[in-house]
Amino acid sequence: MAKKQKGLLALAVILAALLLAFGLYFGNYYHADKTAQQAMKSSRTVKVKQTAEGYLFDGPAKKNAIIFYPGAKVETTAYAPLLKQIASQEADVFLVAMPLHMAFFGLNKADKIRASYHYQNWYMSGHSLGAAMAAMYSADHLKDYRGLIMLAGYPTKDLHAANFSVLSIYGSKDGNAKMLQKNPQYLPNDYTKQVIKGGNHAQFGNYGLQKRGRAGNHLQKGPAAGNRPGGSVIFTCS
């Protein structure tokens, strides 16, 4: 009996340690900076609305919409400056809030958005892990979307389909620039690559310094005002 009690106690300690490690890992994430917080306020051209799945940047576009999956362990609103800029031009943007800030926990969230809103042309997009998950989701819904926009990401499944395009954007100083060129066999014929000279991995969002690279031993800084990759060039696969 005593041995059984000791075994149960040891198991309880192990489970508690695992839960603590889980909480510490997922509770530690990159936070949106003041610029991102400011961008969450509506302007004359773009209304920022909270939705069941995150946020909608509602601009002048009527036919085009982008669903955006954030990067791993990055606060959702850190992408507000970039997405608000896009929404002021050619497409409304849905910014998806992911469980624990990890897109693979909400891979199919785009389904609910597309079922609740009606646009003529839908596009998937995302940054880093979010881009990879957007690509994975797109591969299973190629008939429902016009294209995929990957920011510092790469495809993990076949994206060949008629009338489906892919735009890949990343910075020349991304610590994993070579990795971002993985799986070219999955890319469709309508594929465009945009390498931004001097750009790094973190500059698509506003969340400060980020460790990046194979060894994880150097830092990359988020964008200064007016110095962000993407912007108007992002929506070029229509």
Side-chain angles (χ1 to χ4, degrees):
M1 187 69 177
K3 288 184 178 180
K4 185 177 181 180
Q5 289 179 335
K6 288 182 179 180
L8 291 173
L9 179 60
L11 180 60
V13 170
I14 292 171
L15 289 174
L18 289 173
L19 287 173
L20 177 60
F22 183 88
L24 289 173
Y25 179 78
F26 289 110
N28 182 24
Y29 57 90
Y30 297 101
H31 292 268
D33 66 15
K34 292 182 179 179
T35 300
Q37 294 168 11
Q38 185 65 28
M40 288 299 296
K41 298 178 181 179
S42 294
S43 66
R44 283 185 294 179
T45 55
V46 179
K47 303 300 181 184
V48 182
K49 306 173 183 179
Q50 191 161 10
T51 70
E53 303 304 323
Y55 304 92
L56 166 61
F57 294 84
D58 188 1
K62 301 299 181 184
K63 296 182 179 180
N64 304 317
I66 298 172
I67 298 175
F68 186 89
Y69 285 3
K73 298 182 70 177
V74 176
E75 187 172 7
T76 308
T77 55
Y79 296 95
L82 174 61
L83 302 186
K84 191 176 185 180
Q85 182 182 351
I86 295 167
S88 70
Q89 299 172 43
E90 297 185 65
D92 289 347
V93 185
F94 292 87
L95 173 58
V96 181
M98 292 296 180
L100 301 175
H101 302 290
M102 301 291 278
F104 53 69
F105 289 134
L107 179 63
N108 295 312
K109 278 201 166 193
D111 285 343
K112 295 180 180 179
I113 295 172
R114 199 165 49 82
S116 302
Y117 297 86
H118 302 285
Y119 290 86
Q120 182 176 327
N121 304 310
W122 287 95
Y123 296 84
M124 285 299 299
S125 184
H127 174 231
S128 195
L129 176 66
M133 294 300 100
M136 182 177 292
Y137 172 85
S138 297
D140 294 328
H141 300 82
L142 292 172
K143 293 182 179 180
D144 300 320
Y145 291 83
R146 290 286 305 277
L148 166 69
I149 305 160
M150 298 185 296
L151 307 183
Y154 59 90
T156 54
K157 295 178 72 175
D158 189 13
L159 295 168
H160 285 87
N163 301 317
F164 187 85
S165 59
V166 173
L167 171 63
S168 174
I169 306 174
Y170 61 89
S172 62
K173 292 187 177 180
D174 192 301
N176 284 331
K178 290 185 178 179
M179 184 182 73
L180 299 178
Q181 301 176 52
K182 285 179 62 175
N183 302 329
Q185 71 276 16
Y186 293 152
L187 296 168
N189 295 329
D190 190 355
Y191 166 65
T192 302
K193 179 173 69 173
Q194 175 87 36
V195 180
I196 300 170
K197 186 176 181 179
N200 65 45
H201 192 83
Q203 283 181 294
F204 293 103
N206 284 69
Y207 53 90
L209 297 173
Q210 178 179 9
K211 290 183 178 180
R212 192 67 184 166
R214 282 182 288 275
N217 58 359
H218 65 282
L219 296 171
Q220 297 194 337
K221 193 172 183 179
N227 187 32
R228 180 183 297 105
S232 60
V233 302
I234 189 173
F235 194 76
T236 58
C237 61
S238 57

